[in-house]
Amino acid sequence: MKKQFKILITEDAAEFSSERPEIFDEYGFTVEFCPKDGVKVLERIRQFRPDIVLMDIFMSSIDGLGVIKQLKGASAENLPVFVIVSNYDSQMLEHEALSAGAAYFVIKPYRLEDLLNRIAELLSYYHTDEDSSSGKILSLEKELEITVTEILHQIGVPAHIKGYHYLRDSIIMCVRRPEIINAVTKELYPSVAEKYETTSSRVERAIRHAIEVAWDRGDVDILNSYFGYTIHNGRGKPTNSEFIAMISDRLRLHNRRSA
């Protein structure tokens, strides 16, 4: 039987009922709505115990980041997965949200079905059946995905653009299969494109755009720590394959040292 997940949303229920209210049932979500008031959100989280909280960054009483910080300060265990919603496409707000502990930063307006797909992905990273025979493997996969996600956040790749997801999957593939970096156009891009039902050329362009955005808005010290030689020798940003290779090589080296 499909597991039911509980989701708390800081919106008016009437706003969501206009876009196929049964869609939540289709994705296996039990939904609770809450006013955009941080104090009330904290109360509902403690009462409802949701698996995921979809809340606005700007709310009365306490903002979304304050809610996360209060909950993390009280307990580091059994916290919901937080998705922060904003009306503004702001690098600073996104960085603050992710640094505070949000798993995702989404900008309005959004398509509800697309967002629920993303939320379902997030839940698959954070919820694993530990009793299953594949529990340990799934745990390791989850750990790798979380690590890559954190690296992309640090570098400054925006979480809401397509290239972010393509980059994450490309890096993970290269950690698992290092040889695939030598067949970027023939194997890597087509594999990512198949997963997202798009084309290899669109994957290539989206990844290039994501790297360009990171280079334009990212923290220079962090970029230097990952790609020092490409900054100091005047070559500018790394190519797609250089970016993917350097991150995946760094992860493999870290894994060998930890083994």
Side-chain angles (χ1 to χ4, degrees), residues 12-84:
D12 185 343
E15 180 176 330
F16 279 80
S17 64
S18 62
E19 189 179 345
R20 290 209 306 120
E22 69 277 8
I23 193 172
F24 290 104
D25 288 331
E26 294 172 6
Y27 279 83
F29 291 127
T30 300
V31 187
E32 281 278 328
F33 293 95
C34 181
K36 297 178 184 179
D37 181 304
V39 172
K40 293 181 179 179
V41 171
L42 284 168
E43 291 175 356
R44 296 302 293 276
I45 288 173
R46 289 169 182 138
Q47 294 167 358
F48 183 55
R49 296 188 179 276
D51 297 292
I52 192 153
V53 176
L54 176 65
M55 65 181 168
D56 285 67
I57 191 167
F58 298 116
M59 300 187 293
S60 59
S61 301
I62 306 171
D63 65 18
L65 306 190
V67 168
I68 296 175
K69 289 173 182 176
Q70 284 205 28
L71 288 169
K72 290 182 72 174
S75 173
E77 297 181 358
N78 300 319
L79 291 177
V81 177
F82 296 102
V83 175
I84 292 292

Side-chain angles (χ1 to χ4, degrees), residues 4 11 47 60 70 82 101 111 114 133 155 230 235 249:
Q4 284 286 124
E11 286 288 358
Q47 294 167 358
S60 59
Q70 284 205 28
F82 296 102
R111 186 167 171 263
D114 291 339
S133 60
I155 290 171
T230 64
R235 292 182 57 209
D249 284 348

